[in-house]
């Protein structure tokens, strides 16, 4: 794993921990930083990272707290508090 990929993993863990502490601002700062590193290094963000972050506002998503999760037509639909929706195939 590259240094950049390791930093992204670390930032993902930090974002998750900050979100669990209820510090949404710090969580989204980590999310933004991880995105920047991925972009600069032309890395694909890990699937778990993509699913737990909002593309629109960089929030770290906590279902039942700042995001709603629904199953619809074989898809998982995640709605962030900012109104942005993401759809994934149900696995
Ligand atoms: Zn959002």
């Amino acid at each position: 794993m590259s240094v950049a990929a390791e930093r992204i993993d670390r930032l993902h863990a930090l974002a998750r921990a900050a979100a669990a502490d209820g510090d949404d601002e710090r969580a989204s700062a980590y999310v933004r930083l991880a995105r920047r590193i991925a972009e600069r290094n032309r890395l694909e963000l890990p699937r778990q990272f993509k699913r737990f972050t909002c593309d629109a506002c960089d929030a770290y998503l906590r279902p039942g707290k700042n995001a709603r999760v629904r199953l619809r037509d074989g898809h998982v639909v995640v709605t962030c508090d900012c109104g942005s929706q993401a759809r994934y195939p149900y696995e």
Side-chain angles (χ1 to χ4, degrees), residues 4-82:
E6 274 169 21
R7 284 192 72 197
I8 289 166
D9 265 12
R10 178 95 188 108
L11 287 164
H12 183 188
L14 287 169
R16 184 170 43 215
D21 283 348
D23 193 342
D24 291 333
E25 237 167 78
R26 201 154 51 90
S28 55
Y30 290 135
V31 168
R32 275 193 295 275
L33 190 53
R35 282 197 209 285
R36 261 207 302 277
I37 292 167
E39 215 168 280
R40 217 182 291 138
N41 294 275
R42 294 193 181 79
L43 285 173
E44 180 88 7
L45 286 160
R47 178 190 285 187
Q48 287 291 63
F49 182 97
K50 286 195 265 189
R51 294 198 173 184
F52 284 98
T53 55
C54 175
D55 272 349
C57 73
D58 294 326
Y60 192 86
L61 301 174
R62 289 170 299 152
K65 297 278 189 187
N66 64 356
R68 281 177 299 135
V69 179
R70 297 233 182 87
L71 288 178
R72 196 187 297 152
D73 304 327
H75 282 78
V76 182
V77 181
V78 181
T79 308
C80 175
D81 273 357
C82 80

